[in-house]
Amino acid sequence: MTGVQTCALPICSQLFPRIEEKEAQKILQSVTHDSEPEKKASSDKSKDEGLAEQVTIDDFMKIDLRTGKIVAAEKVKKSDPDFFQNLSKQQNPEYLWIGCSDSRVPANEIVDMLPGEIFVHRNVANLVIHTDLNCLSVIQYAVEVLKVKHIIVCGHYGCGGVQTAMENKEHGLIDNWLQNIKDIYRSHQARIDELENESEKVNLLCELNVIEQVANVCHTTIVQNAWKVGQELTVHGWIYSIEDGILKDLDVCITKPDEISRTHRMK
Ligand code: CO
């Protein structure tokens, strides 16, 4: 490794292309002198080898985290000088997003919303499991404290979690999580299996999974209690296509208890 411009991590230059080498060198210097052990090691080395020679992958990660913060903060401050000050005071989102952990489906970017505008929960294959305290806690906070008006379950076509659930291979712990999708597959097996194309089968199950999770959200005591006290709350089912960036409404919008199955309706 001979200098900051030769970072072996390609993602660094994609994320932070605006940092000039000189600026990066300056930040590198401040970063490598932050902690005592590193400080000693780096100053000893730099005497003999020069700054460029002592750079490690760890250093690059620190540089990029720092520079990333600088770039992002400056960019936002330019268009809205009070942005961070206002954001730090409160969050007031109208939406709760329940989506897949897949790195290609980030909530804010897909719906073009700023930080503070959408509350987010993500897990593998955007599941809402009746006993998942993590997801239920997010829903409770969003509905009871933040008073969101919309809960969006958003899946995506070609979801790896859904695809894996359709296979009969063993993958360890995650198979237990994916059983929930297998249950949906079993309920719609005839309809799915009659399709010939494998990706069409996966994509249909991706849609059916979203519809099932919308129902699961509505079946929670949290959502039903909100409706009971007259709180305005709509649950939506959307699906996103990574290939063309199009968001599709699956038209399974639920706004009141009359629209859920009688079995799950609480009086
Ligand atoms: Co996914």
Side-chain angles (χ1 to χ4, degrees):
M1 201 171 289
T2 54
V4 284
Q5 77 276 26
T6 60
C7 178
L9 301 172
I11 197 167
C12 296
S13 56
Q14 288 165 20
L15 283 175
F16 314 119
R18 291 175 188 200
I19 297 299
E20 297 296 332
E21 186 181 352
K22 252 187 191 171
E23 202 178 343
Q25 287 278 8
K26 226 162 70 186
I27 294 160
L28 167 65
Q29 244 166 339
S30 74
V31 170
T32 52
H33 289 73
D34 268 351
S35 67
E36 280 311 304
E38 278 180 22
K39 184 180 173 182
K40 190 167 188 311
S42 76
S43 58
D44 285 346
K45 269 189 185 175
S46 61
K47 280 178 199 160
D48 305 317
E49 303 166 21
L51 185 62
E53 294 300 319
Q54 44 155 318
V55 177
T56 65
I57 287 290
D58 278 351
D59 292 329
F60 277 118
M61 294 305 287
K62 287 176 195 165
I63 293 168
D64 287 325
L65 287 173
R66 278 252 179 132
T67 53
K69 275 181 197 166
I70 293 166
V71 171
E74 289 309 316
K75 202 172 151 191
V76 174
K77 272 196 220 163
K78 257 184 201 167
S79 56
D80 182 358
D82 299 325
F83 180 83
F84 290 109
Q85 223 174 356
N86 292 336
L87 194 62
S88 67
K89 285 178 201 155
Q90 62 164 0
Q91 59 167 338
N92 192 22
E94 280 194 17
Y95 308 89
L96 164 62
W97 172 280
I98 299 173
C100 183
S101 299
D102 192 310
S103 62
R104 299 164 298 177
V105 287
N108 285 74
E109 284 78 0
I110 288 177
V111 290
D112 195 22
M113 283 186 189
L114 291 169
E117 291 184 327
I118 187 161
F119 201 60
V120 174
H121 177 78
R122 289 168 72 180
N123 60 40
V124 172
N126 43 269
L127 299 182
V128 179
I129 308 303
H130 304 308
T131 51
D132 177 5
L133 295 180
N134 183 356
C135 183
L136 293 174
S137 303
V138 170
I139 297 175
Q140 183 187 13
Y141 187 75
V143 172
E144 294 180 7
V145 181
L146 298 173
K147 309 267 184 216
V148 297
K149 292 192 173 72
H150 304 272
I151 299 177
I152 299 154
V153 176
C154 186
H156 66 102
Y157 291 121
C159 180
V162 172
Q163 196 169 351
T164 307
M166 293 179 83
E167 297 168 357
N168 291 96
K169 291 180 201 155
E170 205 183 315
H171 300 88
L173 178 73
I174 196 161
D175 293 324
N176 299 286
W177 182 254
L178 299 179
Q179 295 289 355
N180 296 290
I181 307 175
K182 279 186 186 289
D183 290 343
I184 304 167
Y185 183 23
R186 197 186 57 215
S187 307
H188 301 274
Q189 190 133 15
R191 190 179 157 198
I192 294 169
D193 286 353
E194 75 181 13
L195 294 170
E196 280 179 19
N197 184 303
E198 279 310 308
S199 67
E200 280 178 13
K201 287 183 189 181
V202 172
N203 288 343
L204 175 57
L205 187 52
C206 287
E207 289 185 356
L208 294 169
N209 179 41
V210 169
I211 296 166
E212 188 74 16
Q213 304 318 316
V214 166
N216 286 351
V217 171
C218 298
H219 298 163
T220 62
T221 51
I222 306 154
V223 169
Q224 295 203 44
N225 284 336
W227 282 331
K228 222 180 269 179
V229 297
Q231 193 173 326
E232 182 195 334
L233 184 60
T234 305
V235 185
H236 309 260
W238 294 355
I239 193 153
Y240 180 71
S241 167
I242 294 170
E243 286 175 4
D244 57 17
I246 291 177
L247 202 51
K248 181 176 160 191
D249 187 347
L250 290 174
D251 205 17
V252 287
C253 202
I254 297 181
T255 57
K256 52 183 186 291
D258 300 353
E259 296 164 7
I260 65 175
S261 80
R262 206 158 49 89
T263 327
H264 292 89
R265 213 177 299 157
M266 288 171 204
K267 286 185 180 163

